[in-house]
Amino acid sequence: MPETAAPRLHALAGDLDHVAARRAGAVPGDSLGVAGAGSERRAGAVPEDSRRGRAAAVPEDSLEVVAAGPERARGARVWAALWPKLAAVGLALALWELVVLSGWRPDYVLPGPAAVLGRLFADTMSGEVLVAAAITMKRALLGYAIALVVGVAIGLLMARVRVLRTAAGSLLTGLQTMPSVAWFPLAILLFQLSEAAILAVVVLGAAPSIANGLLHSFDQVPPLLVRAGRVLGARGLGLYRHIILPAALPGFLTGLKQGWAFAWRSLMAGELLVIIGHAPSIGVRLQFSRELSDAEGLLAWMIVVMILGVLVDGLVFGALERAVHRRRGLTGVHA
Amino acid sequence: MSIALAHAPVLAPPPALPPVALRLEGVSRRHGVGADAVVALDTLSLSVRAGEFVCVVGASGCGKSTMLNLVAGLDTPTAGQVHVAGGRPALMFQESALFPWLTVEENVAFPLEMQGVARGERRRRVAELLAMVHLESFARRRPHELSGGMKQRVALARALAQRANLLLMDEPFAALDAMMRDHLHCELESLWQQTGLTVVFVTHNVREAVRLGDRVLLLSSRPGRLVAEYAIDIPRPRRIESPEVARSAREITDRLHEAVRDA
């Protein structure tokens, strides 16, 4: 290529990329163009189009403008994400109140939301909720941490050793589908009514999901990326560290999340079955409420269980998943 | 792996000719065993000189990709020998195969990191490579934010980062539209002229092969055999729509159709 032609080609490159990026972002817009220019704005294809267009065309200069935008929009975004949730909670409380008002059960058996929320508030202020939540969450975290180590070790081992996978693959799936409550009689026989019995079942509940999640996420790594990694010089353990593990991360996160759900359920079952008197965990409080026919307290503690579950799922796993998906452009699910 | 590095130059060619960058001697590759075995490549022999741009064309199933895998060291031949001079070759695929968890600059830096190049040097070379493919301002972007053509240019920069003497390309522009492909032909041609790389470019597009190659090798299908070889002496820079390119392409396409009929 003669040197004089180079700048012109360079400019052409920018134009082409611009065109390509716009086209990539505006597929719906293109098809709407046939229907008529007037429909384009309504379809909502325009913001997407202009965002990609701007990103591709003037990357450096527009960065500050782009950075200022989300700052202002954050409040609106949070509200947009929040109000449907608040509305759902409101609706659930309203239905609950309606059932109570219908007189289906006397209110010492099924109290209304006002009484229960009042009780929840009182128990929170007195510190009882915090003490119980601390005991329960400590068990959950410890059990989950052990399950994570065990699950990852088993998953890695089975991924590396084919015979092991053939031998134990269905066993692992069997363990995963087995309701972990079924382990408690054996765990109580082995460990008596102790922390160890609860922890053992939490680990048994969560580890198979984590191991299986890791194994399946390895299966779904695109072979092309592994080939590319090998060509570019990643070998042996480096191939795992630099290519397979990061490529498997989204699938592995799903396994981690499922593992947490199993751990949390096993823990609740465990705390109801294995009562350790000197440790007033959430399960113990639930059980005592039932024994004392304290319906208000029982429902208040159930709400605590639910809130903790939602918080961990949303704040820990949800945030992790969103971060990974956003970085890789897999935003379809969480958009 | 039967890749041997270049021998000591006992039988070196006369100094006027550049040395051989790649030589295949009677290379065969069978997939499977017994009656179900498929011969992907049959006693293929060829050699590519350093700095040469060689295009390989053939109908689907002619073992083009098998050949590249053998040369790249991702596969081993069932018979014959593959000689690659000057270390492991770089390979570019039809899909960009960029790592979605890394930014553009991290992708380009990946082979340097694998080679243990220090951070400062890495940064300098990545900037240089991104400038070569005109993507400096996209260094911090992630692959999913780029168009198909831009992704292939990042993949090209990443392949060049290996500093291999030999660049293998497996239909790298097949998934792009004609305009983008035409543009990337110009960019690749100019990069090749600047760097003195040896390129083996596999494609099923005969015009593309004539547009780019010093030489075009024609492979037959099942089993893949070398059936013809064309030296393209159309002066550069070439244009894909020029009559000379069209004429050569027609000649090769006719021969290709014959080869497909015979198979």
Side-chain angles (χ1 to χ4, degrees), chain A residues 1-2 9-10 13 16-17 20 52 55-56 59 227 230-233 242-243 246-247 326-329, chain B residues 69 88 91 93 98-99 101 110 114 134 137-138 141-142 144-145 147 150 153 158 162 179 183 190 193 237:
Chain A
M1 179 167 36
L9 276 169
H10 187 170
L16 284 173
D17 289 333
R52 300 237 7 188
R227 270 180 84 198
R230 286 175 62 196
V231 168
L232 294 168
H242 295 291
I243 307 291
R326 197 179 315 118
R327 278 172 57 149
R328 301 183 186 201
Chain B
N69 278 344
R88 188 160 8 127
L91 174 57
F93 308 94
L98 296 179
F99 304 128
W101 56 91
F110 186 84
M114 292 297 105
H134 310 306
S137 52
F138 291 82
R141 304 249 167 209
R142 297 199 174 262
H144 70 91
E145 297 176 284
S147 69
M150 290 155 96
R153 277 151 66 194
R158 186 176 68 172
Q162 277 182 272
M179 208 162 49
H183 171 66
S190 111
Q193 285 173 331

Side-chain angles (χ1 to χ4, degrees), chain B residues 168-228:
Chain B
L168 309 171
M169 306 181 87
D170 192 357
E171 305 196 26
F173 308 141
L176 304 179
D177 60 69
M179 208 162 49
M180 182 57 69
R181 197 182 311 143
D182 195 27
H183 171 66
L184 282 170
H185 288 159
C186 295
E187 240 176 54
L188 176 61
E189 187 175 54
S190 111
L191 279 175
W192 165 69
Q193 285 173 331
Q194 283 166 35
T195 54
L197 264 176
T198 311
V199 181
V200 174
F201 188 106
V202 162
T203 176
H204 59 258
N205 182 336
V206 178
R207 266 185 179 237
E208 182 175 52
V210 175
R211 158 74 182 83
L212 289 170
D214 291 329
R215 214 151 37 105
V216 175
L217 307 180
L218 190 59
L219 294 192
S220 65
S221 306
R222 292 191 192 92
R225 276 197 195 111
L226 186 61
V227 290

Side-chain angles (χ1 to χ4, degrees), chain A residues 248-275:
Chain A
L249 188 62
F252 181 49
L253 278 180
T254 310
L256 286 183
K257 194 172 164 178
Q258 200 188 25
W260 168 258
F262 277 106
W264 186 239
R265 285 170 201 195
S266 309
L267 179 60
M268 280 304 120
E271 288 191 344
L272 287 173
L273 287 171
V274 182
I275 303 287

